[in-house]
Amino acid sequence: MVRLRRRRGLPLLLLAGWAVPLPAQSSTWALTNARIETVTRGVIERGTILIRDGLIAAVGTQVPVPALAVVIDLGGRTVSPGLIALTSTMGIPPAPNTSSAPGEGRGGPGTPGFSSDRMVAGELTGAVDALKASREAGVTTALVAPDRGMFRGQSALINMRESLDAKAVVRSPVATHLGYQGVGRGEYPGSLMGVIAAQRQTLFDAARYGLLMARWDADPRGATRPEHDAKLEALVPAVQAKMPVFVDAGNENEIRRAVRLGEEHHLNLTIVGAVEAWRALDAIKTHQLVVAVNFPRPNQVTGWRYSAGIPNDPADSTARQEAATRLIERNPAAVHASRARYALASGGTRGGDFVSNLRKAIAAGLPADAALAGATIRAAEVAGVAGALGSIETGKIANLVVSSGPLLSDSAQISMVFVDGARYEVAAKAPARTTAARGAGGGAADATAPVAVAGTWIITANSPQGAMESTLTVTQDGGGVTGTMASEMTGSTPIDNGRVQGRRFSWSVSLNFGGQSFEVSYVGEVDGNRITGTVTAGEFGSFTFSGEKRP
């Protein structure tokens, strides 16, 4: 039982709420009788953490408690560093619906997917509900960056405070982010081959731009001033290895492609995603990884979608599926065994899913202490803030999670979170109610109530042939959805079987090529104005998709 008590007559305010930090957040807190997982210095079975002005002032078994401290007796509960989510889009507004004007070419002001000069820290807004949900799942810090485009911009590291204001930003910029999504809409670069060529040429151009600017800065007399290019200028620190470059690369081909790009341009490279890292261990051993634990389904993994189409004994399909799932969930363990430098990330999933997927990785062979380190101190190292976050040490930011047992154990329940030294209590989660129980009892909100999806979405399918973009326009009536899906290749097609259940949004379209009809099905999960999920296209296999809702 957690107890707050007075200290030398100090008045203590006991709040009945569960999501509001206690007053005087700059006051001193003493967490006593705590089991402390420091991450970097072992486990203290019974100790005290002293928090003052948002920082860890002391930690150990013999910590003097100041007279003005608010003492919280944790009664043996576990305190861990807050988790760091390295793949988040929280608080980023939708990208503007623009296209390049004729003749602008690469890097024009309106070119979709080319946003190397985009500074995420200056755009963050809203996301109060997402901040709260992340805190309650034990995630106290996130690296926020756009998840689409070939040059995506520069990320910001934020703490999960009450709002996304300037005080929430821990570091900006952290890295410049690249991906393998083309422009689409019939513009260059719309194909994967075009993206690869455009990225290489742009990085060469940025290196040359940096040399020309340095030469002019050193001696401008008599020299022609280089024409200013904000997008190339933003990439100069990256091509000079002064800023980390995070390349979103999930499957084996993308990982090897990212490695070649980094070596060709001498980048300070970090590979992000790496869900098929076990297939490319030879390529990654000298590079830093951010390994996502949003494990793909077997039919999304390289090779499986082709082998899955081979006729086999129906009785064998379940066994093959289970074997493939085990292989996929062992990816973090395989990376750990290879001695590669890595951190763990959510892959863009919600905080609660991040924790549950970390538990899956542990069940698949990743040591529990390595899993916790991967989501805390190793993640802090990747973000360049290991001196401030990621472990429980004197002088670091007081981002802490209090739970009923080790944070990543199956039965752990979070009861309290500290962010920048501000305390947030977490309400005990009631047992899930069944649909039947909700119907009989009434009153409680139905967890399957449909989210709002009506409007226009830009959907990008990551097919083996490259990114394919479509415009989905829908109307909604409760859980039913109707509308059209349009692309340059297929024109406008009515959607079928449109349905929303909770956050799950699914639909299908019937396409006709060469006189043959086939159905393409989409199943995704909505998170605010974004959706991610899987496309299933018959014999062409399955692949991921993402989308953004236009304002």
Side-chain angles (χ1 to χ4, degrees):
M1 178 179 179
V2 178
R3 294 180 295 165
L4 293 173
R5 60 184 175 85
R6 299 173 185 268
R7 183 128 182 112
R8 296 190 182 179
L10 180 71
L12 183 64
L13 179 62
L14 299 178
L15 295 185
W18 53 267
V20 180
L22 291 174
Q25 293 294 3
S26 62
S27 65
T28 303
W29 304 90
L31 312 184
T32 64
N33 292 321
R35 179 182 178 275
I36 305 170
E37 292 188 324
T38 69
V39 175
T40 53
R41 301 187 180 185
V43 176
I44 300 173
E45 291 298 340
R46 187 73 65 170
T48 296
I49 301 173
L50 186 64
I51 302 171
R52 183 184 292 118
D53 296 332
L55 302 176
I56 299 172
V59 56
T61 57
Q62 302 293 327
V63 175
V65 178
L68 295 179
V70 176
V71 179
I72 306 178
D73 185 347
L74 294 180
R77 288 177 179 261
T78 296
V79 183
S80 310
L83 302 180
I84 301 174
L86 291 174
T87 49
S88 175
T89 57
M90 185 182 303
I92 300 179
N97 186 12
T98 60
S99 60
S100 56
E104 283 182 345
R106 188 269 310 143
T111 304
F114 194 108
S115 306
S116 56
D117 57 341
R118 184 178 185 183
M119 296 291 290
V120 166
E123 300 182 7
L124 299 175
T125 184
V128 173
D129 291 341
L131 289 168
K132 176 176 175 290
S134 294
R135 283 197 306 267
E136 294 188 352
V139 178
T140 57
T141 307
L143 182 65
V144 180
D147 60 355
R148 299 179 64 198
M150 59 178 181
F151 289 99
R152 300 174 178 181
Q154 299 179 16
S155 53
L157 191 72
I158 63 169
N159 270 348
M160 303 295 182
R161 297 167 63 98
E162 284 291 329
S163 61
L164 291 177
D165 55 17
K167 293 180 180 179
V169 178
V170 178
R171 188 181 186 196
S172 174
V174 173
T176 189
H177 291 248
L178 278 64
Y180 290 111
Q181 290 175 312
V183 172
R185 305 175 189 172
E187 301 180 45
Y188 176 82
S191 66
L192 177 59
M193 184 177 295
V195 168
I196 295 170
Q199 282 182 339
R200 294 180 66 231
Q201 186 59 56
T202 300
L203 293 175
F204 281 127
D205 290 346
R208 180 176 180 274
Y209 182 84
L211 290 174
L212 292 175
M213 289 302 302
R215 186 178 302 167
W216 190 83
D217 288 342
D219 186 8
R221 289 177 296 183
T224 301
R225 184 178 70 256
E227 182 179 349
H228 180 254
D229 189 319
K231 295 182 185 298
L232 290 182
E233 184 178 48
L235 290 172
V236 170
V239 296
Q240 294 178 348
K242 295 177 181 178
M243 177 181 288
V245 176
F246 285 19
V247 180
D248 188 355
N251 64 44
E252 178 186 1
N253 287 340
E254 290 176 342
I255 293 169
R256 295 186 183 278
R257 191 179 300 129
V259 169
R260 289 193 296 269
L261 185 72
E263 292 175 347
E264 179 180 26
H265 296 276
H266 308 289
L267 305 177
N268 180 3
L269 176 68
T270 294
I271 299 169
V272 179
V275 293
E276 290 187 20
W278 91 88
R279 293 180 177 272
L281 294 177
D282 59 310
I284 66 172
K285 57 187 177 183
T286 59
H287 296 279
Q288 183 168 259
L289 304 178
V290 173
V291 180
V293 293
N294 58 330
F295 304 112
R297 289 191 290 272
N299 62 3
Q300 297 174 281
V301 175
T302 301
W304 176 267
R305 57 174 167 262
Y306 306 111
S307 63
I310 300 173
N312 61 289
D313 183 350
D316 183 49
S317 59
T318 300
R320 291 176 70 238
Q321 179 93 1
E322 291 175 351
T325 298
R326 287 194 298 270
L327 183 65
I328 293 165
E329 292 178 357
R330 279 202 298 267
N331 182 53
V335 172
H336 177 76
S338 75
R339 300 185 179 276
R341 293 178 296 134
Y342 73 96
L344 299 174
S346 64
T349 59
R350 293 172 295 173
D353 293 333
F354 185 21
V355 173
S356 64
N357 286 338
L358 287 171
R359 291 167 178 165
K360 289 180 182 179
I362 293 170
L366 181 66
D369 59 345
L372 182 60
T376 54
I377 189 62
R378 302 294 168 244
E381 291 171 353
V382 167
V385 292
L389 290 169
S391 62
I392 301 179
E393 298 180 69
T394 301
K396 290 195 170 185
I397 296 171
N399 282 8
L400 306 170
V401 180
V402 179
S403 55
S404 58
L407 180 58
L408 299 183
S409 63
D410 290 337
S411 59
Q413 293 291 322
I414 295 172
S415 58
M416 191 183 309
V417 176
F418 286 83
V419 179
D420 276 327
R423 179 186 123 147
Y424 300 86
E425 288 204 31
V426 179
K429 291 181 172 57
R433 300 181 65 190
T434 64
T435 303
R438 283 191 295 266
D446 189 346
T448 61
V451 298
V453 299
T456 300
W457 297 76
I458 302 301
I459 303 295
T460 302
N462 303 306
S463 76
Q465 289 73 39
M468 302 175 67
E469 192 168 278
S470 303
T471 300
L472 176 68
T473 305
V474 295
T475 57
Q476 180 177 0
D477 182 7
V481 177
T482 57
T484 60
M485 195 165 189
S487 70
E488 290 188 355
M489 180 179 294
T490 63
S492 180
T493 305
I495 68 169
D496 301 315
N497 307 312
R499 186 70 183 167
V500 183
Q501 184 174 21
R503 291 154 48 100
R504 184 178 186 271
F505 179 20
S506 60
W507 72 95
S508 62
V509 291
S510 296
L511 301 179
N512 188 298
F513 286 110
Q516 294 185 338
S517 297
F518 64 95
E519 184 175 84
V520 180
S521 299
Y522 294 76
V523 179
E525 185 174 89
V526 177
D527 186 3
N529 57 15
R530 289 180 169 80
I531 183 172
T532 56
T534 303
V535 185
T536 302
E539 63 183 20
F540 296 99
S542 299
F543 35 89
T544 61
F545 79 89
S546 61
E548 286 188 0
K549 187 178 182 181
R550 295 303 184 194

